[in-house]
Amino acid sequence: MIEPIQWHDGRLLFLDQTRLPHETALIETDDPSVVIGAIRELAIRGAPLIGIAGAYAAVLAAQRHLGRSWEFVRLQWDAIGSARPTAVNLMWAIDRMRKVVQLSGLVSRMDVTALEREATAIHQEDREACERIAAHGSALLPDQAAVLTHCNTGMLATGGIGTALGVIRKAWEAGRCTHVYVGETRPLLQGARLTAWELSSLQIPYTLITDSMAAVLMQRGIVRSVIVGADRIARNGDVANKVGSYGLAVLSQAHRLPFFVAAPVSTIDLSTAEGAQIPIEERSAREVVVCGGREVAPVESRVFNPAFDLVPARLVSAVITDRGIAQPPGVDTIAALTGTRKPA
Amino acid sequence: MIEPIQWHDGRLLFLDQTRLPHETALIETDDPSVVIGAIRELAIRGAPLIGIAGAYAAVLAAQRHLGRSWEFVRLQWDAIGSARPTAVNLMWAIDRMRKVVQLSGLVSRMDVTALEREATAIHQEDREACERIAAHGSALLPDQAAVLTHCNTGMLATGGIGTALGVIRKAWEAGRCTHVYVGETRPLLQGARLTAWELSSLQIPYTLITDSMAAVLMQRGIVRSVIVGADRIARNGDVANKVGSYGLAVLSQAHRLPFFVAAPVSTIDLSTAEGAQIPIEERSAREVVVCGGREVAPVESRVFNPAFDLVPARLVSAVITDRGIAQPPGVDTIAALTGTRKPA
């Protein structure tokens, strides 16, 4: 079991995922701004995992200001919540942390203890959510067939076995899934660096492709479904996920293949009516100009580098969550999962 | 004007395109096997350019065996013709070379002169073909709009201004094309390394993307057409081209955007009835595992690495050639271009 984040005695240990698969470097810190930096630089990434890391960072912030005013803590919590804009999990985690303390007077030892308990609960709940997502989803994957996934949605992206990759793992253990095709996921190669590494360590047979080869696998009938994670799901079932997901969804439809999204309910943002309202993070040109640590294009190149894209609900066959499946996703099926008849 | 290949005094000079954009290294040789190696390693690439290089390599082979039997020359010509299997241009060039000599007795000075004349003619004809392709194609690109291209189809891929990129260049000079989006074209990054470099040197405004971002540009209405080259076109209009082309064609159709293919008539293979008969080259796993000179995935990874894919004619809006436009491409419109009523 890979543990990308561990909480130990008031300190956070995390795996620097930018160095994988070459080095498995653990960083230990009690400084919340180190965690914020790690989230921004994708040393800690994956929507569920950044939610968990954000919660622990919130504990570190309070711990640091023990006996002092909440004012500084609140500023730091805001910084944590907005470290990355697209995934809703950071804001969701900070919202949960806010609810277990008074936020008035001075930061007490009891406050820190309550926050620590909440962060640990968030972590543990995500671990369990992964198991339930996998249990719900594995039967959906076409039997005796290969599946395609994108980016990394496994142990490195969550507090447990993963979302989409957890589904694949269970389907493989059940003998349903025969082979996994992994899109390398340029620019930051989370598929090549992280998913291939996880599958390799689990001894699940996989084949790596460049992102542009996914269509060929579909054309030749080699893959029979696609499953990805989510960074935010709107009330109507629209999904924001790693750039490339939208294209895969369109290609899946054109080839009549199911396109699945797996995510914990915490990824559903009831305050967002539809995908168009989700802010899409644009990242640095360097990520595209540089490949494998080397400049591969003229440095003066203009670059378009959205980290995520939007998959409209109509292209999603099912949203698989820890509370069940929205199939097809839409206002009603999403409301049923979140237990909200009317949108919040 | 970038000259990726020059013939000078019985010797071939070529740009090692694997080193671009960092180094512009010219290699000079009179050894045909150096040229074959350069074609295999993509130091010389682009369907029209490898045809030209193949023709010059055929001259070098004959020159080397001057006064000796044709037997060795013929063996080397076979090796040239099969250096890469998908593009038809190598075989086409060797076929043309075969027709200007007797191939019996000993290789004479006159044979070498005739071959040199033919290779130079192939080179010159391709230069002119590029101009005509551009003239035919530029009016097809949607006016006042951005276009997306894939791989490299410019001066580095041909004997002239290029095929798809030549069309873009003329459309830009005519004020029709406002901006060029360039897919980086993993695994070998011909878009990032070569097309961006060419556009930069021509001062045509461009934006680089990873291949997975093309769908987002279409979804947002940022690009209004796609144009690519071709490595082989079958009698029915099916197109083999750089891997990623098929996906772009499907995405174009889903977004109701025209998908154009630009190539000289020499790329049309009348002996191939349909795309399914075109051999698709599979290249080494290293090309995918290595990115920018560095291993980015576990070395034990299985890899699927087709260098090309097949775009069925029904997804192609028009095939733009030096002899006119097949719109839509099909048995009849292709036959009209090649001057063959009945397939050969």
Side-chain angles (χ1 to χ4, degrees):
Chain A
M1 184 79 185
I2 302 154
E3 293 264 21
I5 267 189
Q6 296 161 51
W7 179 254
H8 190 66
D9 225 4
R11 300 175 72 82
L12 189 69
L13 282 84
F14 65 89
L15 201 54
D16 179 355
Q17 299 194 28
T18 63
R19 305 208 212 162
L20 286 172
H22 299 287
E23 290 173 59
T24 51
L26 268 184
I27 293 172
E28 186 179 339
T29 187
D30 63 357
D31 182 350
S33 59
V34 168
V35 184
I36 294 172
I39 290 170
R40 284 205 187 116
E41 290 158 26
L42 277 62
I44 302 173
R45 31 68 51 200
L49 192 69
I50 66 176
I52 297 163
Y56 284 126
V59 185
L60 295 178
Q63 198 173 264
R64 223 158 228 244
H65 293 91
L66 188 63
R68 285 189 277 164
S69 147
W70 278 100
E71 196 189 328
F72 303 105
V73 180
R74 247 190 259 122
L75 282 174
Q76 224 151 12
W77 285 12
D78 289 344
I80 297 166
S82 60
R84 295 193 68 195
T86 302
V88 75
N89 308 60
L90 277 173
M91 291 163 258
W92 168 87
I94 294 297
D95 278 347
R96 276 192 54 169
M97 300 303 273
R98 279 206 184 95
K99 284 177 188 150
V100 301
V101 284
Q102 290 293 344
L103 293 168
S104 61
L106 303 181
V107 180
S108 71
R109 173 63 59 194
M110 242 175 60
D111 290 329
V112 174
T113 305
L115 291 168
E116 187 171 356
R117 203 183 307 120
E118 189 68 1
T120 311
I122 286 173
H123 195 171
Q124 178 59 26
E125 286 166 25
D126 191 66
R127 191 173 293 129
E128 293 160 9
C130 287
E131 293 294 333
R132 283 196 296 272
I133 291 167
H136 292 148
S138 61
L140 279 188
L141 295 193
D143 200 13
Q144 299 307 306
V147 65
L148 172 67
T149 190
H150 189 62
C151 199
N152 175 268
T153 57
M155 293 178 281
L156 291 167
T158 63
I161 61 167
T163 54
L165 206 58
V167 172
I168 290 173
R169 181 173 171 174
K170 284 283 178 227
W172 185 75
E173 287 168 2
R176 294 185 68 82
C177 171
T178 55
H179 200 83
V180 189
Y181 283 85
V182 179
E184 64 176 3
T185 320
R186 275 281 286 157
L188 295 178
L189 297 165
Q190 291 93 334
R193 294 191 303 105
L194 311 179
T195 300
W197 186 73
E198 280 198 36
L199 290 171
S200 197
S201 76
L202 293 167
Q203 299 186 282
I204 296 176
Y206 70 92
T207 297
L208 184 65
I209 59 165
T210 68
D211 302 318
S212 64
M213 292 169 192
V216 182
L217 293 176
M218 297 182 187
Q219 183 187 33
R220 297 194 190 172
I222 296 172
V223 297
R224 297 271 302 284
S225 68
V226 177
I227 185 165
V228 302
D231 287 82
R232 194 187 304 203
I233 299 172
R235 218 157 62 207
N236 70 344
D238 289 349
V239 173
N241 191 46
K242 177 54 57 197
V243 70
S245 301
Y246 170 67
L248 290 175
V250 174
L251 291 170
S252 296
Q253 189 184 54
H255 294 86
R256 297 171 200 282
L257 300 180
F259 179 88
F260 300 116
V261 171
V265 163
S266 56
T267 304
I268 298 172
D269 178 17
L270 293 173
S271 72
T272 299
E274 52 177 39
Q277 294 166 10
I278 301 174
I280 298 294
E281 179 183 7
E282 273 246 20
R283 294 183 61 87
S284 127
R286 298 285 304 164
E287 292 185 350
V288 175
V289 167
V290 172
C291 194
R294 193 173 182 213
E295 278 164 9
V296 291
V299 286
E300 68 271 21
S301 299
R302 239 178 90 172
V303 168
F304 174 60
N305 185 19
F308 305 95
D309 61 25
L310 285 173
V311 185
R314 67 180 164 78
L315 295 178
V316 180
S317 310
V319 169
I320 304 159
T321 77
D322 45 318
R323 292 210 206 139
I325 300 170
Q327 185 177 26
V331 172
D332 293 341
T333 53
I334 294 289
L337 291 183
T338 51
T340 49
R341 283 251 155 223
K342 293 265 175 196
Chain B
M1 183 81 186
I2 302 154
E3 293 262 22
I5 267 189
Q6 296 161 49
W7 179 254
H8 191 67
D9 223 4
R11 298 175 73 83
L12 189 69
L13 281 85
F14 65 89
L15 201 55
D16 179 353
Q17 298 193 28
T18 63
R19 305 207 211 161
L20 286 172
H22 299 286
E23 290 172 60
T24 49
L26 267 185
I27 293 172
E28 187 180 339
T29 187
D30 63 357
D31 183 350
S33 59
V34 168
V35 184
I36 294 172
I39 290 170
R40 285 206 185 113
E41 289 158 25
L42 277 63
I44 302 172
R45 31 65 56 200
L49 192 70
I50 65 176
I52 297 163
Y56 284 126
V59 185
L60 295 179
Q63 197 172 265
R64 219 157 232 245
H65 293 89
L66 187 64
R68 283 189 278 165
S69 147
W70 278 100
E71 196 188 328
F72 303 104
V73 180
R74 246 188 258 124
L75 282 173
Q76 225 153 10
W77 285 13
D78 289 346
I80 297 165
S82 60
R84 295 193 69 195
T86 302
V88 76
N89 307 60
L90 277 173
M91 289 164 262
W92 168 86
I94 294 297
D95 279 347
R96 277 193 52 170
M97 300 303 272
R98 279 204 185 95
K99 285 178 189 151
V100 301
V101 285
Q102 289 292 343
L103 294 169
S104 61
L106 304 180
V107 179
S108 70
R109 175 62 58 194
M110 241 175 64
D111 290 330
V112 174
T113 304
L115 291 168
E116 187 173 353
R117 201 182 309 122
E118 189 68 2
T120 312
I122 287 174
H123 196 169
Q124 178 61 24
E125 285 166 26
D126 191 64
R127 191 173 293 129
E128 292 161 9
C130 287
E131 293 294 333
R132 283 195 296 271
I133 292 168
H136 292 148
S138 61
L140 280 188
L141 295 193
D143 200 14
Q144 298 307 307
V147 64
L148 171 67
T149 190
H150 189 61
C151 199
N152 173 268
T153 57
M155 292 177 281
L156 291 166
T158 63
I161 60 168
T163 54
L165 206 57
V167 171
I168 289 172
R169 181 173 170 175
K170 284 283 176 225
W172 184 75
E173 286 168 1
R176 295 184 68 82
C177 170
T178 55
H179 200 84
V180 188
Y181 283 85
V182 179
E184 65 175 3
T185 320
R186 274 281 284 156
L188 295 179
L189 299 164
Q190 292 93 335
R193 295 190 302 105
L194 310 179
T195 300
W197 186 73
E198 280 198 35
L199 291 171
S200 198
S201 77
L202 293 167
Q203 298 187 281
I204 297 177
Y206 70 92
T207 297
L208 184 66
I209 59 165
T210 68
D211 303 318
S212 65
M213 293 167 191
V216 182
L217 293 177
M218 296 182 188
Q219 183 187 34
R220 297 195 190 172
I222 295 173
V223 297
R224 297 270 302 285
S225 68
V226 177
I227 185 165
V228 301
D231 287 82
R232 194 187 304 203
I233 300 172
R235 219 156 59 208
N236 70 343
D238 290 351
V239 173
N241 191 46
K242 178 54 58 197
V243 70
S245 301
Y246 170 66
L248 290 175
V250 174
L251 291 168
S252 296
Q253 188 183 55
H255 293 87
R256 296 169 203 280
L257 300 180
F259 180 87
F260 299 115
V261 171
V265 163
S266 56
T267 305
I268 299 173
D269 178 17
L270 292 172
S271 72
T272 299
E274 51 178 40
Q277 294 166 10
I278 301 175
I280 297 294
E281 178 182 9
E282 274 244 20
R283 293 183 60 88
S284 128
R286 299 282 305 164
E287 291 185 351
V288 175
V289 167
V290 172
C291 194
R294 194 174 180 214
E295 277 164 10
V296 291
V299 285
E300 68 271 21
S301 298
R302 238 178 90 172
V303 168
F304 175 60
N305 184 19
F308 305 94
D309 60 25
L310 285 173
V311 185
R314 68 179 164 77
L315 295 178
V316 180
S317 310
V319 169
I320 303 160
T321 77
D322 44 319
R323 293 210 206 139
I325 300 169
Q327 185 178 24
V331 172
D332 292 340
T333 53
I334 294 289
L337 290 183
T338 52
T340 50
R341 283 250 154 224
K342 295 264 174 194

